[in-house]
Amino acid sequence: AGDAAAGKAKAAVCAACHGADGIALIPGYPNLKGQNEQYLVSALQAYKAGQRTGPNAMIMQGQATGLSDADMSNLAAYYASMK
Amino acid sequence: AGDAAAGKAKAAVCAACHGADGIALIPGYPNLKGQNEQYLVSALQAYKAGQRTGPNAMIMQGQATGLSDADMSNLAAYYASMK
């Protein structure tokens, strides 16, 4: 599993859309609070691998491109840990 | 917005993976409980449109193919309404 503390440090940019508390500020974006860690990792990987396309995916493709595998598992651990 | 009651009737098959309470039974799948309605609609549309591909998307592509626009908004309303 990832390191939630390291994920928190990485999540500053995510909070702009997904909220500091993991509740999305924009209704078209998902809440991440308490989401399944493994699912979050696979979603980030899918954005990075170009397996999620279309107008709603573009921003996340850009975000995920810059993430390492460790970043992804840490971010996933962080949001999954939010209760 | 969709009709949560109609969504509940449609959600029987979804519960097998996403849980009757919207908490996924399988860690690689997302919890849907309290997720943003608009996001859920766009995710279902993306699966149906083939904009979500790769190994983790195949099951949902199959599920979404059979859904009408009304089904999608009703299912989204149903899961978003879960508190």
Side-chain angles (χ1 to χ4, degrees), chain A residues 27-47:
Chain A
Y29 295 162
N31 301 325
L32 300 181
K33 179 179 178 178
Q35 185 54 273
N36 279 329
E37 186 166 345
Q38 202 179 317
Y39 170 72
L40 288 172
V41 169
S42 66
L44 286 169
Q45 287 172 339
Y47 281 116

Side-chain angles (χ1 to χ4, degrees), chain A:
Chain A
D3 172 348
K8 182 171 185 174
K10 193 75 190 171
V13 63
C14 314
C17 294
H18 294 291
D21 57 356
I23 302 299
L25 303 176
I26 300 162
Y29 295 162
N31 301 325
L32 300 181
K33 179 179 178 178
Q35 185 54 273
N36 279 329
E37 186 166 345
Q38 202 179 317
Y39 170 72
L40 288 172
V41 169
S42 66
L44 286 169
Q45 287 172 339
Y47 281 116
K48 186 170 184 178
Q51 294 170 330
R52 289 194 172 190
T53 55
N56 295 318
M58 275 189 279
I59 292 180
M60 275 308 295
Q61 283 183 346
Q63 293 297 326
T65 303
L67 297 177
S68 67
D69 288 347
D71 290 333
M72 290 184 189
S73 63
N74 295 340
L75 283 165
Y78 172 56
Y79 282 107
S81 70
M82 287 181 168
K83 293 300 172 222

Side-chain angles (χ1 to χ4, degrees), chain B residues 24-72:
Chain B
L25 303 175
I26 300 161
Y29 295 163
N31 301 325
L32 301 182
K33 180 180 178 177
Q35 186 54 273
N36 279 330
E37 185 168 347
Q38 200 178 318
Y39 169 73
L40 289 172
V41 170
S42 68
L44 286 168
Q45 287 172 338
Y47 281 116
K48 187 170 184 178
Q51 294 170 330
R52 291 193 171 190
T53 56
N56 294 318
M58 274 188 282
I59 293 179
M60 274 309 294
Q61 283 182 347
Q63 292 297 326
T65 303
L67 297 177
S68 67
D69 289 347
D71 290 333
M72 291 183 186

